[in-house]
Amino acid sequence: MTLKKYWLLCRKVLLLLLMDLYFILSQIFGGFAVVFACLSYFCNKKNFLLVQTCANMFFAIGFFFVGGYLAFVVSLINTLRSLSFYFCQRINFKFTYIYLIYFIVCASVATGLLWTGPLDIMPFVTSVIFSCIYFIKNMQLTRYLTLAPNTILSIYSAVMRAYTNSLLGVVEILFTIVSIVRYVKKNKKDKIRKFDENADIENDKLQ
């Protein structure tokens, strides 16, 4: 084997090892994102957004190591948006529509600069949806609206081989469905209780 062939072989082996290392690192950071996302659902309202922001940061890094550079940048923009919203809440400062437009423009610019194909529309669309959700005050409607972008991100992550990121999307969907079911059951019980109370009042009037 000549020196040149030996060098090419070593180079190929090194590249394969690096690819495997990057793949493993992607799964590790995605795993951290899953852990933080799960923890966030057991936090109070004040800490929920902060822990979710940590999950978003690890989620973004997970894309970087599998070559999803647009998803990486857009996810970082989403993390900055979440942090901005969190600190605005902490200091009782109104998070206005100007911020919404600003972060959507940032995501649009990133998409334009890093566009590689039709698949790249997925992280951009999810970013826009999540940004709009911040201004919806109806919590039940918010839960329903998060199902679509989480599904899209889960599919995109699986295609990009960021499998733990994909798992995060599934976890978010499951937690959201549980929240929706619990809310519906609670709402149903409240309606039944109010109906019974009204019936008792009517009976008292008749007596």
Side-chain angles (χ1 to χ4, degrees):
M1 183 181 289
T2 63
L3 185 63
K4 185 177 180 181
K5 286 182 178 179
Y6 181 76
W7 164 246
L8 289 172
L9 178 62
C10 290
R11 185 180 175 185
K12 284 181 180 179
V13 171
L14 183 62
L15 286 171
L16 286 171
L17 288 173
L18 281 173
M19 285 173 67
D20 287 340
L21 177 62
Y22 288 160
F23 174 77
I24 292 167
L25 286 172
S26 173
Q27 310 318 310
I28 290 171
F29 280 103
F32 282 130
V34 172
V35 171
F36 275 93
C38 290
L39 288 174
S40 69
Y41 288 98
F42 299 97
C43 295
N44 56 36
K45 288 183 179 179
K46 286 184 178 180
N47 294 325
F48 172 81
L49 197 60
L50 187 60
V51 179
Q52 275 276 333
T53 301
C54 292
N56 289 339
M57 185 177 66
F58 287 118
F59 181 74
I61 298 170
F63 281 123
F64 177 81
F65 285 110
V66 290
Y69 301 119
L70 173 60
F72 167 68
V73 173
V74 170
S75 296
L76 285 181
I77 292 168
N78 294 342
T79 303
L80 289 172
R81 181 201 60 213
S82 298
L83 278 173
S84 300
F85 187 77
Y86 172 77
F87 286 116
C88 283
Q89 281 189 324
R90 296 283 290 185
I91 62 174
N92 294 319
F93 187 80
K94 192 174 180 181
F95 195 77
T96 64
Y97 288 101
I98 294 172
Y99 293 101
L100 170 65
I101 295 168
Y102 172 75
F103 285 111
I104 289 176
V105 168
C106 287
S108 301
V109 171
T111 303
L113 292 173
L114 299 171
W115 181 270
T116 58
L119 193 66
D120 288 338
I121 196 66
M122 297 172 84
F124 171 70
V125 168
T126 56
S127 177
V128 172
I129 295 172
F130 279 127
S131 294
C132 294
I133 284 172
Y134 277 88
F135 294 90
I136 297 173
K137 294 182 180 179
N138 186 322
M139 280 303 297
Q140 189 65 348
L141 178 59
T142 298
R143 293 185 185 104
Y144 281 114
L145 290 174
T146 58
L147 290 173
N150 278 320
T151 302
I152 293 169
L153 275 179
S154 185
I155 295 169
Y156 176 82
S157 301
V159 173
M160 295 300 297
R161 296 175 70 243
Y163 298 120
T164 46
N165 276 7
S166 182
L167 176 62
L168 174 60
V170 174
V171 169
E172 294 278 10
I173 290 166
L174 289 175
F175 271 108
T176 303
I177 291 171
V178 169
S179 298
I180 290 170
V181 171
R182 287 177 63 184
Y183 178 85
V184 169
K185 284 184 177 179
K186 184 178 179 298
N187 201 33
K188 191 175 180 180
K189 285 181 181 178
D190 290 342
K191 284 182 179 179
I192 292 170
R193 190 179 70 251
K194 286 180 181 179
F195 178 81
D196 291 339
E197 287 174 356
N198 290 334
D200 290 338
I201 292 169
E202 292 295 326
N203 288 332
D204 291 339
K205 285 180 180 180
L206 291 172
Q207 291 174 1

